[in-house]
Amino acid sequence: MANVQTEDQQIVTMTIKVLSASNIKGSKGEHVNSFVRVQFADYDYRDTTVAIDSASPEYNLTFDQPFTLIETVANKSITVTLIESLPKEKTNVLGTGEVSLYKRFLDYYKRETPDAPVPECTLLTKEVVSINYANPKMLQPQDKPEVVLEISLSKALIEPSVMAKGVFATLELKDMYPLPEDWTLKEGNEKDLNSSIDLEHKEQDRTLVLNTGGLTTATEKILDPIETTPRPIRDDESEKPGSETEHQTEEVKKIAWTGSSLIWLSPTVLGKLNVLAQKKKHLELEVWRQVSPKFNVQDTAVHKHKGKISIDIASLMYPNVLGFKGRYPITKSVSDFIPKRVVDPNLSHKKKSEQAELEFKKQIRGIAERLVGEYKETLRLEAQQVDKSLDPNDPKLAEKRKKLFMFHLNKTGVYYNFKEQLKSAVVQIRFQKKSPFTENSELHGFMSQVYIYLVDEMHKTLHEFFKQVDQEKNLQVLAQAGGQEALLQFAQIAEQDGNISIAAKYHQERVAKLDYGQFCMRQQMPAKAEECFREILSRNPKHILTLLTFGSITALKQHYEEARVYLHKAVDADPNNVLSNTVLALFYSSISEELEASKYLQQVQQICESLNKPKNQHFVQVAEFAVNAHLPELADQALAQELVLNGPSVKPYILLAQLDVQRRLYTSAANRLKEALKLDQTSADVWACLGHLNFIQGRFNYARTAYENVLASDCDNDLIFNRLGAIYLREAYRQSDHFSLTMNSIKNLDKSAALIAKDMYLKACAIKATSQSWLGEANVINHRDSDVWACLSLLSLVLDRPVEANQCINQAFKLDISCNRSIATGIRD
């Protein structure tokens, strides 16, 4: 037990005195040698000295027992064991008794009227404990063996003024079932990890251990949902005989508890519960299995046996309500299904070492930049002090410059500042390189190695720094081309053009596993996609989009408990997220839990109102998310709700067509777009989708017609201009049916069509410059675009540069130019 709230976390000392006993009998009647063993709660027991040959002995044992938890006194007792001392150091337990402390020290706050004075708390009590003999035959009927104790507290457990504002609550657990399959029952002589289980519950910042429950099998009634729904307990409630109905039964494994536990709810806790009840928020209790320590065996599956209980406490605000009872849906966490990723300590140390090295190099670069600035200052001073008649290349002048520079660094304090700036980076490297040393010789040797290493790294870093100055502009452009956003753009372009293998390579180079997982879903690779999602959640179990995606996937597999956990965690991570709440509502609707579905849809409406978001757009938002992650069932469900809510519109047909394209159902996609055109013949979005559909099928004339309809409105889609440019360029070669780039076709180019193509490409560049639209910088924007290398090869051939053409075409084939059949054919020709 630990982490009690601050106002309750006070050390109280209980003093226990064992004074005497009376009317005790032993194996030889009244001639008994005895001692008393006293134990408070689970603390260590204490034994009195042995009293010789007496039926009414004096023991006079006094000891102190400090403790902190109020619940210890409320739920535990003092156990008194009377033991007979026999010859040859043998003992015999005569009997036991116990003293309940709650009535003595905590049940004192009772007033006849609210205006009556607060009673004083009890700090001392003298108890006569009746001893129940293990063998009653040792006693006569008139014998009543007793032990006298005196119990006192160093101070009040709860001050009367606080007691008046707090309350003791009773927590009673009946049973828990069904249980995991690996919780087994074994024979009585076998040691079973699961035969004795502690269930704990965690309430904010304190943990209470409940009484140990036993694992058993029992025949249970199959109850209707209405009978398991939690309900309030009123002060006038009573059981009505004969009200039970007939039920079917089933045999289940379960954990059963006996008795109840008292929990002190301080004024602070009551205030928090009051706020939760008013805001209609649930009280979360965390439960987990704790194997009894007597077997001295570690529970290796502890992460699987955790869960949370969500309790609606709003009923406590009703008149005459004293509590609630019912059977509570235990929820699990993401780590129950996807264990957290454990980082190898060696890998972690290596990463920290690399970070220390990078920090050292970063500091060196920063100091180098400042040194250049300081050196410029010394050159300005030199112009005022040095004889201008000297040769600028004279070694004497260089030496004077060096002295002037060092003097400037020391005089201005720059040298000291640089040393302090570098100190922390050096210290980090020293700690990450090796563990503490046992001998000074080892330390001195290591420090010498570190010095050499640091000097070498400094020279390398300075060399790279001054070498990079001249290439800075080009490096910035290349860095942008190799950045995460650029790689995503390249992947999207490749996927749009049907170059799936190239798109996969770009995704794999990015650290964004979610995008790659959704790409794998769109390409019918669910196993690879799930691997990506699991890896994300093992690192970050609160990643909302991954929780929604993977939760929807598990729901489709009918793993409803697991899906519920993921989707609830997404909502918990951001309660005001419209997408999360809507997906969770659709999940509950799919499993016929309409009340829960309605609750989360109402939450969506409240979020939209409070954040001034457009209303009635949430189902389309879910459908867009589902299409991007290729979750057709979720998309169909969301769009069906959208149709009911807002009636027919163009957007649902477009999204369904995109799903059909992902599944290569081109005829179905075309039919859906035609249905959309019936609703709105001027929709640029529908015409754009129709153009894309025809383009990827090689039906370029139909694609051009559709794209030209888009141009009738303001178009800012670079993909449309790129593809129109490609179509017009094909027409420029007058080989629309069997297009290939050859030397002959280049010479017979239709210039008017080529100019239109050029205009399309320039408009695409104005929107977004890509390697497809701007060959002028294509190799900088994306130096791994095989089409670019192929075009450079053809251009080199036209300009009679065979060596450069050969280099370019080798790079094109290395980057899989075979996916573009027309260019590949032209090059081979």
Side-chain angles (χ1 to χ4, degrees):
M1 299 182 184
N3 300 332
V4 186
Q5 298 173 11
T6 305
E7 62 181 313
D8 299 333
Q9 190 167 1
Q10 52 179 334
I11 298 177
V12 179
T13 300
M14 177 182 291
T15 301
I16 302 176
K17 296 182 178 180
V18 185
L19 302 178
S20 61
S22 61
N23 303 321
I24 67 173
K25 299 288 181 64
S27 56
K28 297 181 179 180
E30 295 182 351
H31 300 281
V32 57
N33 300 333
S34 65
F35 65 94
V36 173
R37 175 168 295 169
V38 181
Q39 184 178 22
F40 169 49
D42 299 322
Y43 295 105
D44 292 339
Y45 61 80
R46 300 292 182 91
D47 290 346
T48 67
T49 57
V50 177
I52 305 298
D53 193 18
S54 176
S56 299
E58 300 288 333
Y59 295 114
N60 296 322
L61 169 68
T62 301
F63 68 93
D64 293 334
Q65 180 61 65
F67 62 95
T68 56
L69 280 181
I70 294 173
E71 282 81 8
T72 304
V73 174
N75 296 294
K76 301 294 183 178
S77 59
I78 294 178
T79 303
V80 179
T81 307
L82 181 62
I83 304 174
E84 181 180 14
S85 178
L86 300 173
K88 298 183 179 180
E89 298 183 353
K90 293 183 179 180
T91 59
N92 176 39
V93 175
L94 297 176
T96 60
E98 64 178 28
V99 180
S100 174
L101 300 176
Y102 172 71
K103 292 288 185 180
R104 276 73 176 175
F105 296 115
L106 291 171
D107 193 25
Y108 62 85
Y109 180 71
K110 292 180 180 178
R111 290 188 290 180
E112 296 296 332
T113 64
D115 298 331
V118 178
E120 292 294 325
C121 57
T122 303
L123 295 180
L124 174 67
T125 181
K126 191 171 185 179
E127 299 292 331
V128 178
V129 185
S130 297
I131 302 298
N132 297 315
Y133 261 54
N135 183 7
K137 294 180 179 180
M138 300 178 69
L139 301 174
Q140 298 297 324
Q142 68 275 14
D143 292 336
K144 293 183 179 180
E146 297 171 335
V147 174
V148 181
L149 303 181
E150 185 179 285
I151 307 164
S152 62
L153 299 179
S154 60
K155 55 184 174 181
L157 292 170
I158 306 173
E159 292 296 333
S161 58
V162 177
M163 177 71 83
K165 299 176 183 178
V167 68
F168 275 96
T170 301
L171 176 63
E172 183 176 2
L173 290 179
K174 295 291 188 181
D175 51 40
M176 180 173 70
Y177 69 88
L179 301 177
E181 290 298 324
D182 55 351
W183 291 24
T184 59
L185 288 167
K186 296 186 178 181
E187 297 298 327
N189 58 353
E190 292 187 59
K191 287 186 177 180
D192 182 6
L193 285 180
N194 307 306
S195 62
S196 182
I197 297 169
D198 290 337
L199 185 71
E200 305 187 18
H201 83 88
K202 188 174 183 180
E203 181 267 308
Q204 296 193 352
D205 50 1
R206 65 175 169 181
T207 301
L208 300 173
V209 181
L210 304 183
N211 294 330
T212 300
L215 183 61
T216 63
T217 58
T219 301
E220 291 292 335
K221 300 174 183 177
I222 303 177
L223 301 177
D224 295 329
I226 190 68
E227 297 177 85
T228 62
T229 303
R231 61 184 181 85
I233 302 174
R234 301 183 182 275
D235 57 0
D236 57 352
E237 181 176 297
S238 61
E239 296 293 336
K240 296 181 180 180
S243 61
E244 293 190 5
T245 57
E246 295 295 327
H247 296 88
Q248 293 181 345
T249 59
E250 63 178 347
E251 187 176 82
V252 295
K253 285 189 302 183
K254 71 173 186 177
I255 297 178
W257 285 269
T258 58
S260 59
S261 298
L262 288 172
I263 302 174
W264 166 243
L265 302 181
S266 65
T268 302
V269 174
L270 285 178
K272 293 178 180 178
L273 292 177
N274 190 30
V275 171
L276 285 177
Q278 290 180 355
K279 293 184 176 180
K280 297 183 179 180
K281 291 186 177 180
H282 288 197
L283 176 66
E284 298 285 347
L285 298 183
E286 185 176 0
V287 296
W288 63 93
R289 185 182 79 167
Q290 177 174 298
V291 177
S292 296
K294 62 183 179 182
F295 296 132
N296 197 26
V297 180
Q298 185 176 4
D299 187 4
T300 58
V302 65
H303 69 277
K304 296 197 310 183
H305 304 141
K306 290 184 178 181
K308 286 186 177 181
I309 301 173
S310 182
I311 301 178
D312 184 359
I313 60 174
S315 60
L316 292 177
M317 304 294 291
Y318 302 159
N320 302 324
V321 171
L322 300 179
F324 36 76
K325 66 180 179 180
R327 183 164 293 280
Y328 296 88
I330 293 179
T331 59
K332 295 189 176 181
S333 63
V334 174
S335 58
D336 294 329
F337 301 99
I338 303 175
K340 291 184 179 180
R341 183 173 179 266
V342 180
V343 180
D344 185 351
N346 295 326
L347 182 62
S348 177
H349 175 77
K350 181 181 178 181
K351 185 176 181 180
K352 290 180 180 178
S353 179
E354 291 174 350
Q355 289 176 341
E357 293 175 10
L358 289 174
E359 180 62 23
F360 174 73
K361 293 179 180 180
K362 178 182 176 182
Q363 295 293 346
I364 289 292
R365 288 192 182 94
I367 290 173
E369 290 177 356
R370 290 190 59 188
L371 283 173
V372 170
E374 296 295 337
Y375 189 66
K376 288 179 180 179
E377 177 65 15
T378 59
L379 289 179
R380 186 184 65 79
L381 296 174
E382 178 197 32
Q384 302 172 0
Q385 301 177 14
V386 178
D387 186 358
K388 297 182 179 179
S389 63
L390 293 175
D391 182 4
N393 297 321
D394 188 351
K396 294 181 180 179
L397 181 59
E399 185 65 25
K400 288 183 178 180
R401 284 176 175 170
K402 179 180 178 181
K403 290 181 179 179
L404 185 61
F405 184 45
M406 295 303 295
F407 176 76
H408 171 74
L409 293 179
N410 283 281
K411 180 181 178 182
T412 59
V414 173
Y415 173 80
Y416 175 78
N417 292 337
F418 286 164
K419 185 174 70 171
E420 291 300 312
Q421 180 180 341
L422 203 58
K423 183 184 294 184
S424 62
V426 173
V427 170
Q428 286 298 321
I429 286 182
R430 180 256 176 271
F431 279 112
Q432 297 301 331
K433 284 296 179 183
K434 196 170 182 180
S435 57
F437 302 94
T438 56
E439 298 182 4
N440 286 335
S441 59
E442 292 183 6
L443 175 61
H444 292 310
F446 172 72
M447 295 304 293
S448 298
Q449 294 175 5
V450 169
Y451 176 78
I452 296 172
Y453 166 79
L454 292 174
V455 172
D456 288 344
E457 288 300 311
M458 180 186 70
H459 287 152
K460 290 178 184 177
T461 303
L462 290 173
H463 177 71
E464 291 174 359
F465 169 75
F466 288 108
K467 182 180 179 181
Q468 289 173 354
V469 169
D470 296 333
Q471 304 173 356
E472 183 175 351
K473 184 176 180 180
N474 290 335
L475 285 175
Q476 288 178 351
V477 176
L478 290 174
Q480 293 173 359
Q484 295 296 309
E485 291 300 320
L487 288 173
L488 177 59
Q489 178 182 325
F490 301 157
Q492 292 171 342
I493 292 173
E495 186 178 0
Q496 290 168 351
D497 291 339
N499 301 331
I500 304 305
S501 61
I502 294 177
K505 289 180 182 177
Y506 286 132
H507 275 298
Q508 289 167 357
E509 290 183 26
R510 301 181 72 233
V511 294
K513 291 286 186 179
L514 175 63
D515 291 328
Y516 181 49
Q518 293 180 336
F519 166 79
C520 291
M521 289 293 292
R522 294 193 296 271
Q523 302 308 319
Q524 315 300 318
M525 297 186 289
K528 188 67 177 176
E530 291 184 27
E531 181 182 330
C532 294
F533 301 142
R534 286 183 176 276
E535 182 175 347
I536 295 171
L537 294 178
S538 69
R539 297 170 180 264
N540 181 9
K542 295 183 179 180
H543 195 275
I544 294 177
L545 288 178
T546 306
L547 288 168
L548 294 177
T549 305
F550 198 51
S552 301
I553 292 172
T554 52
L556 295 176
K557 294 180 176 181
Q558 298 184 354
H559 299 167
Y560 297 130
E561 181 186 7
E562 187 175 358
R564 191 193 307 264
V565 170
Y566 297 138
L567 299 180
H568 268 284
K569 294 303 176 186
V571 172
D572 293 342
D574 184 3
N576 292 323
N577 189 306
V578 171
L579 178 63
S580 301
N581 281 277
T582 309
V583 171
L584 183 55
L586 290 173
F587 164 73
Y588 277 121
S589 180
S590 69
I591 59 175
S592 301
E593 293 190 22
E594 299 300 336
L595 287 178
E596 288 294 309
S598 176
K599 180 176 77 173
Y600 285 101
L601 287 179
Q602 290 176 3
Q603 179 71 10
V604 170
Q605 295 295 340
Q606 292 175 3
I607 293 170
C608 293
E609 291 175 4
S610 61
L611 300 180
N612 293 324
K613 291 186 176 182
K615 293 183 180 180
N616 301 335
Q617 297 295 316
H618 45 284
F619 289 122
V620 169
Q621 185 181 351
V622 171
E624 290 175 337
F625 159 76
V627 169
N628 190 52
H630 191 71
L631 301 167
E633 291 83 358
L634 178 61
D636 289 338
Q637 188 183 5
L639 292 175
Q641 294 289 339
E642 167 65 16
L643 185 63
V644 172
L645 185 64
N646 295 321
S649 63
V650 165
K651 188 66 174 180
Y653 286 105
I654 293 176
L655 292 171
L656 290 172
Q658 291 175 353
L659 272 178
D660 287 335
V661 170
Q662 292 175 7
R663 293 178 286 193
R664 311 293 190 269
L665 302 176
Y666 299 132
T667 302
S668 177
N671 291 334
R672 295 187 189 278
L673 293 175
K674 290 176 182 177
E675 291 294 322
L677 285 176
K678 292 179 181 179
L679 295 174
D680 185 1
Q681 291 187 350
T682 63
S683 173
D685 292 336
V686 178
W687 284 113
C689 290
L690 199 57
H692 297 331
L693 178 62
N694 285 296
F695 187 89
I696 61 177
Q697 295 180 85
R699 304 172 64 185
F700 299 112
N701 289 334
Y702 293 103
R704 185 187 69 178
T705 302
Y707 287 145
E708 287 174 345
N709 278 315
V710 178
L711 298 185
S713 59
D714 293 334
C715 178
D716 59 354
N717 189 326
D718 64 299
L719 179 61
I720 292 176
F721 286 114
N722 271 328
R723 288 184 168 176
L724 264 178
I727 293 171
Y728 285 126
L729 192 59
R730 296 179 68 89
E731 295 179 357
Y733 289 110
R734 298 194 184 93
Q735 296 181 10
S736 58
D737 293 332
H738 303 287
F739 172 63
S740 63
L741 288 173
T742 64
M743 294 294 293
N744 186 52
S745 64
I746 292 175
K747 293 177 181 178
N748 297 322
L749 185 69
D750 183 343
K751 294 184 179 179
S752 61
L755 288 174
I756 298 176
K758 176 184 176 183
D759 183 56
M760 294 295 107
Y761 282 125
L762 288 174
K763 288 181 177 178
C765 289
I767 299 170
K768 184 193 294 183
T770 66
S771 58
Q772 298 291 317
S773 61
W774 192 295
L775 286 177
E777 288 188 6
N779 238 12
V780 175
I781 294 173
N782 184 4
H783 58 279
R784 287 178 292 178
D785 191 320
S786 58
D787 289 357
V788 173
W789 287 106
C791 290
L792 286 175
S793 176
L794 287 172
L795 183 61
S796 298
L797 288 173
V798 172
L799 297 175
D800 198 20
R801 298 179 179 176
V803 176
E804 295 177 11
N806 185 60
Q807 292 173 342
C808 292
I809 198 57
N810 286 337
Q811 187 68 10
F813 280 111
K814 180 180 178 181
L815 295 171
D816 198 14
I817 188 58
S818 58
C819 62
N820 193 323
R821 193 173 299 171
S822 59
I823 298 181
T825 303
I827 291 194
R828 290 191 183 94
D829 294 341

